[in-house]
Amino acid sequence: MIRRVYAAVVKTIGQGPVYELVDVPQPTKNQVQIQVIAAGIHKVVRSIADGRHYVKVKTLPFIPGIDGVGTLPDGKKVYFVNMAPPNGTMSQLVNADENMTIPLPENADPVHFAAIMNAGLASWTALTERAQIKSGETVLVLGVTGSSGQMAAASARLLGAKRVVGVGRNKSLLNQLVADGTIDVSVPLDDDDTKYQELIAKEAADVDIVMDFLWGRPTEIAMAGIHSGRNDSSQHLRWVQVGQMAGATIQLNGGFLRSKNVELIGSGIGPISMKQMLQSLQRMVPMVVEGKLKTSVLTIPLKDIESKWQETADAKERVVVVM
Ligand SMILES: NC(=O)c1ccc[n+]([C@@H]2O[C@H](COP(=O)([O-])OP(=O)(O)OC[C@H]3O[C@@H](n4cnc5c(N)ncnc54)[C@H](OP(=O)(O)O)[C@@H]3O)[C@@H](O)[C@H]2O)c1
């Protein structure tokens, strides 16, 4: 039986979605039908819908969204991933691969989970699966004031980091993150490159892991600071490229790679398999339920998607559509 439900529908790449009725067929053999409660408009969701992402949508119209929280026909709550354009997750009903779901406890807040799991991929999963963080290590987070950056700092702590250094351009938020213990030391991103480089050399030259949400110029300067200040050239440094808020490319000094034990790795769907991602996120669930990992959320009703999509593009909170 085909069911007609409301969804966010993108008709032209770059023009944002409209609120419209769509047909949802019966799920196939390996699918489950999910009554969606909430789905996040993550950065990746916007960039796919705008045609800026390396994932290109080939069929129009399409429903945006890559994950969400909903209930199975038996009422059980699940987080699910559905990266199969044109059928994204911003729909009241979604047919998803049954292997792409994570059970959530009854008391899990669906909106919070819809917001936080993508930030978890960029932080918790990147730290465990890509950086393979060990207890007692020091972590530098470039872009710590963003939602994924704050999650990376909090996750690093929960995973045993001894010291967390955070770089960002919002000085009052940096101070707050030091005050509430999310990070030990902050390094403000300064217009004065020399000052920023000196601070990195002083506070972060001996880090074990860099979680890089910025790339571009701030990364080039941070690399120069670590290059100049690092004491033990054999100490293993994992530089994890997670986001590119400050630029898509960098100029990389070859001497940095030859003179220090640096491993430059990326994190995202590709180097991390879907199975690995779901297993890792499943291990994160109790941390979220217990309030040890959290993020701030802005909710919008699905029926207002057309006006709110653009209006919330620069929101500081993670934006979640509630069905
Ligand atoms: N690879 C993955 O698995 C994965 C998963 C999720 C997200 N990501 C990526 O991670 C990045 C952060 O995502 P998010 O959701 O955490 O975003 P967010 O909450 O919007 O945070 C973005 C952060 O970037 C900072 N920023 C923006 N432009 C900057 C610039 N030119 N120089 C310095 N800082 C700048 C912002 O600083 P202000 O606060 O000062 O504006 C803010 O702290 C994005 O690139 C996203 O695509 C990757």
Side-chain angles (χ1 to χ4, degrees):
M1 189 187 59
I2 290 176
R3 290 188 53 192
R4 250 173 120 58
V5 299
Y6 279 101
V9 179
V10 172
K11 295 185 169 173
T12 308
I13 292 295
Q15 287 197 359
V18 294
Y19 178 66
E20 213 168 77
L21 281 167
V22 295
D23 290 338
V24 181
Q26 279 284 92
T28 60
K29 192 164 149 265
N30 298 320
Q31 287 182 326
V32 282
Q33 195 156 66
I34 297 171
Q35 190 82 45
V36 183
I37 303 170
I41 313 185
H42 314 303
K43 289 236 149 23
V44 58
V45 171
R46 284 189 200 274
S47 83
I48 292 174
D50 289 348
R52 289 178 284 117
H53 199 264
Y54 54 79
V55 170
K56 298 291 174 205
V57 176
K58 297 189 181 89
T59 314
L60 286 171
F62 92 104
I63 299 170
I66 57 164
D67 65 352
V69 173
T71 50
L72 296 174
D74 64 6
K76 292 208 170 99
K77 212 182 278 176
V78 288
Y79 166 77
F80 69 103
V81 175
N82 194 36
M83 291 190 184
N87 300 312
T89 57
M90 288 188 187
S91 169
Q92 291 170 330
L93 206 59
V94 168
N95 292 334
D97 184 332
E98 62 185 350
N99 295 318
M100 302 293 278
T101 63
I102 294 178
L104 294 179
E106 244 174 66
N107 63 344
D109 174 354
V111 172
H112 195 221
F113 267 93
I116 207 168
M117 294 299 250
N118 178 256
L121 171 64
S123 52
W124 177 274
T125 304
L127 279 164
T128 54
E129 307 303 306
R130 300 299 289 152
Q132 303 195 338
I133 185 170
K134 294 186 278 294
S135 185
E137 291 194 312
T138 298
V139 177
L140 169 66
V141 183
L142 297 182
V144 76
T145 53
S147 54
S148 301
Q150 290 180 54
M151 279 274 291
S155 302
R157 279 249 195 271
L158 288 172
L159 292 162
K162 171 184 75 184
R163 189 161 176 270
V164 182
V165 182
V167 167
R169 59 184 181 181
N170 179 337
K171 287 185 187 157
S172 65
L173 185 49
L174 284 176
N175 290 339
Q176 196 183 309
L177 294 175
V178 173
D180 69 19
T182 307
I183 57 177
D184 296 287
V185 181
S186 72
V187 174
L189 253 181
D190 223 290
D191 291 338
D192 180 347
D193 285 352
T194 311
K195 204 164 127 199
Y196 167 49
Q197 183 174 328
E198 279 170 6
L199 271 174
I200 289 284
K202 177 169 171 266
E203 300 293 352
D206 293 323
V207 293
D208 300 290
I209 296 168
V210 177
M211 293 290 289
D212 193 343
F213 296 94
L214 298 180
W215 214 233
R217 188 78 183 142
T219 293
E220 292 172 357
I221 309 287
M223 283 183 172
I226 292 175
H227 190 178
S228 66
R230 204 161 178 83
N231 291 314
D232 177 0
S233 55
S234 68
Q235 187 194 346
H236 187 197
L237 168 60
R238 288 91 85 203
W239 198 294
V240 190
Q241 209 292 319
V242 198
Q244 51 180 55
M245 295 306 300
T249 59
I250 58 164
Q251 281 206 354
L252 178 58
N253 178 351
F256 181 46
L257 299 183
R258 290 194 307 278
S259 64
K260 311 288 176 211
N261 185 7
V262 185
E263 195 183 348
L264 189 53
I265 44 184
S267 188
I269 295 301
I272 297 171
S273 69
M274 288 286 181
K275 191 174 166 201
Q276 212 180 353
M277 174 186 86
L278 288 167
Q279 283 171 347
S280 155
L281 290 179
Q282 189 151 10
R283 288 191 285 272
M284 196 183 91
V285 168
M287 305 295 155
V288 180
V289 173
E290 289 163 27
K292 292 177 179 162
L293 288 176
K294 46 190 172 218
T295 193
S296 49
V297 187
L298 177 69
T299 55
I300 59 176
L302 177 65
K303 67 178 176 45
D304 294 343
I305 192 72
E306 202 169 336
S307 60
K308 299 284 181 189
W309 176 272
Q310 211 39 57
E311 223 178 281
T312 57
D314 296 321
K316 294 286 175 210
E317 304 88 352
R318 293 192 81 89
V319 183
V320 170
V321 179
V322 178
M323 308 300 153

